[in-house]
Coordinates of all heavy atoms in Angstrom, one line a residue:
Chain B
Y170 N 121.6 -48.5 89.2 CA 123.0 -48.1 89.7 C 123.3 -46.8 89.2 O 123.8 -45.9 89.8 CB 124.1 -49.1 89.2 CG 123.9 -50.6 89.3 CD1 124.6 -51.4 88.5 CD2 123.2 -51.1 90.4 CE1 124.5 -52.8 88.6 CE2 123.1 -52.5 90.6 CZ 123.8 -53.3 89.7 OH 123.7 -54.7 89.9
L171 N 123.0 -46.6 87.9 CA 123.4 -45.3 87.2 C 122.6 -44.1 87.7 O 123.1 -43.0 87.9 CB 123.3 -45.5 85.7 CG 124.4 -46.5 85.1 CD1 124.0 -47.0 83.8 CD2 125.7 -45.7 85.0
Y172 N 121.3 -44.3 87.9 CA 120.5 -43.2 88.4 C 121.0 -42.8 89.8 O 121.2 -41.6 90.0 CB 119.0 -43.6 88.5 CG 118.2 -43.6 87.3 CD1 117.4 -44.6 86.9 CD2 118.2 -42.4 86.5 CE1 116.6 -44.6 85.7 CE2 117.4 -42.4 85.3 CZ 116.6 -43.5 85.0 OH 115.9 -43.4 83.8
S173 N 121.4 -43.8 90.6 CA 121.9 -43.3 91.9 C 123.3 -42.7 91.8 O 123.6 -41.8 92.6 CB 121.7 -44.4 93.0 OG 122.4 -45.6 92.6
A174 N 124.0 -43.1 90.9 CA 125.3 -42.4 90.7 C 125.1 -41.0 90.3 O 125.8 -40.0 90.7 CB 126.2 -43.1 89.6
A175 N 124.1 -40.8 89.4 CA 123.8 -39.4 88.9 C 123.3 -38.5 90.1 O 123.6 -37.3 90.2 CB 122.8 -39.4 87.8
E176 N 122.5 -39.1 90.9 CA 121.9 -38.4 92.1 C 123.0 -37.8 93.0 O 122.7 -36.8 93.7 CB 121.0 -39.3 92.9 CG 119.6 -39.5 92.3 CD 118.7 -40.5 92.9 OE1 118.9 -41.7 92.6 OE2 117.9 -40.1 93.8
T177 N 124.2 -38.5 93.1 CA 125.2 -38.0 93.9 C 125.7 -36.6 93.4 O 126.5 -35.9 94.1 CB 126.4 -38.9 94.0 OG1 127.0 -39.0 92.7 CG2 126.0 -40.3 94.5
L178 N 125.3 -36.3 92.2 CA 125.7 -35.0 91.6 C 124.8 -33.9 91.8 O 124.9 -32.7 91.4 CB 126.0 -35.1 90.1 CG 127.2 -36.0 89.8 CD1 127.1 -36.6 88.4 CD2 128.5 -35.2 89.9
G179 N 123.6 -34.2 92.5 CA 122.7 -33.2 92.9 C 121.4 -33.1 92.1 O 120.6 -32.1 92.2
I180 N 121.2 -34.0 91.2 CA 119.9 -34.1 90.5 C 119.1 -35.2 91.1 O 119.6 -36.1 91.6 CB 120.2 -34.4 89.0 CG1 118.8 -34.2 88.2 CG2 120.8 -35.7 88.7 CD1 119.0 -34.1 86.7
S181 N 117.8 -34.9 91.1 CA 116.9 -35.9 91.8 C 116.4 -36.9 90.8 O 116.4 -36.7 89.6 CB 115.7 -35.2 92.4 OG 114.8 -34.9 91.5
R182 N 116.0 -38.1 91.3 CA 115.5 -39.2 90.5 C 114.3 -38.7 89.7 O 114.2 -38.9 88.5 CB 115.1 -40.4 91.3 CG 114.7 -41.6 90.6 CD 115.8 -42.3 90.0 NE 116.8 -42.8 90.9 CZ 116.9 -44.0 91.4 NH1 116.1 -44.9 91.0 NH2 117.8 -44.4 92.3
D183 N 113.4 -38.0 90.4 CA 112.2 -37.5 89.7 C 112.5 -36.5 88.6 O 111.8 -36.5 87.5 CB 111.2 -37.0 90.7 CG 110.4 -38.0 91.4 OD1 110.6 -39.3 91.1 OD2 109.5 -37.7 92.2
E184 N 113.5 -35.7 88.8 CA 113.9 -34.8 87.7 C 114.4 -35.5 86.5 O 114.1 -35.2 85.4 CB 115.1 -33.9 88.2 CG 114.7 -32.5 88.7 CD 115.9 -31.8 89.3 OE1 116.4 -32.2 90.3 OE2 116.3 -30.8 88.6
M185 N 115.2 -36.6 86.8 CA 115.7 -37.3 85.6 C 114.5 -38.1 84.9 O 114.5 -38.1 83.6 CB 116.7 -38.4 86.1 CG 118.1 -37.7 86.5 SD 119.3 -38.9 86.8 CE 119.0 -39.2 88.6
Y186 N 113.6 -38.6 85.7 CA 112.5 -39.3 85.0 C 111.7 -38.3 84.2 O 111.3 -38.6 83.1 CB 111.5 -39.9 86.1 CG 112.0 -41.2 86.7 CD1 111.5 -41.6 87.9 CD2 113.0 -42.0 86.1 CE1 112.0 -42.8 88.5 CE2 113.4 -43.1 86.7 CZ 112.9 -43.6 87.9 OH 113.4 -44.7 88.5
D187 N 111.5 -37.1 84.8 CA 110.8 -36.1 84.1 C 111.4 -35.7 82.8 O 110.8 -35.6 81.8 CB 110.7 -34.8 85.0 CG 109.7 -33.8 84.5 OD1 108.5 -34.2 84.4 OD2 110.0 -32.7 84.2
Q188 N 112.8 -35.6 82.8 CA 113.5 -35.3 81.6 C 113.3 -36.4 80.5 O 113.2 -36.1 79.3 CB 115.0 -35.1 81.9 CG 115.3 -33.8 82.7 CD 116.8 -33.7 83.0 OE1 117.5 -34.7 82.8 NE2 117.1 -32.6 83.6
L189 N 113.3 -37.6 81.0 CA 113.1 -38.7 80.0 C 111.7 -38.7 79.5 O 111.5 -38.7 78.2 CB 113.3 -40.1 80.7 CG 113.0 -41.3 79.9 CD1 113.9 -41.4 78.7 CD2 113.2 -42.6 80.7
H190 N 110.7 -38.5 80.4 CA 109.3 -38.6 79.9 C 108.8 -37.5 79.1 O 108.0 -37.6 78.3 CB 108.4 -38.8 81.1 CG 108.7 -40.0 81.9 ND1 108.4 -40.2 83.3 CD2 109.3 -41.2 81.6 CE1 108.8 -41.4 83.7 NE2 109.3 -42.0 82.7
T191 N 109.5 -36.3 79.2 CA 109.1 -35.2 78.4 C 110.0 -35.1 77.1 O 109.8 -34.2 76.3 CB 109.3 -33.8 79.2 OG1 110.7 -33.8 79.6 CG2 108.4 -33.7 80.4
G192 N 110.9 -36.0 77.0 CA 111.6 -36.1 75.8 C 112.8 -35.1 75.8 O 113.6 -35.0 74.8
K193 N 113.1 -34.5 76.9 CA 114.2 -33.5 77.0 C 115.5 -34.3 77.1 O 116.5 -33.8 76.5 CB 114.0 -32.7 78.3 CG 114.9 -31.5 78.4 CD 114.7 -30.7 79.7 CE 116.0 -30.0 80.0 NZ 116.2 -29.8 81.4
A194 N 115.5 -35.4 77.7 CA 116.7 -36.2 77.8 C 116.7 -37.3 76.7 O 115.7 -37.8 76.3 CB 116.9 -36.9 79.2

Side-chain angles (χ1 to χ4, degrees):
Chain B
Y170 306 155
L171 290 161
Y172 279 130
S173 53
E176 279 171 279
T177 63
L178 291 157
I180 186 165
S181 74
R182 183 77 57 100
D183 279 1
E184 259 177 292
M185 286 187 274
Y186 285 161
D187 192 61
Q188 290 176 353
L189 174 63
H190 298 158
T191 55
K193 193 182 153 210

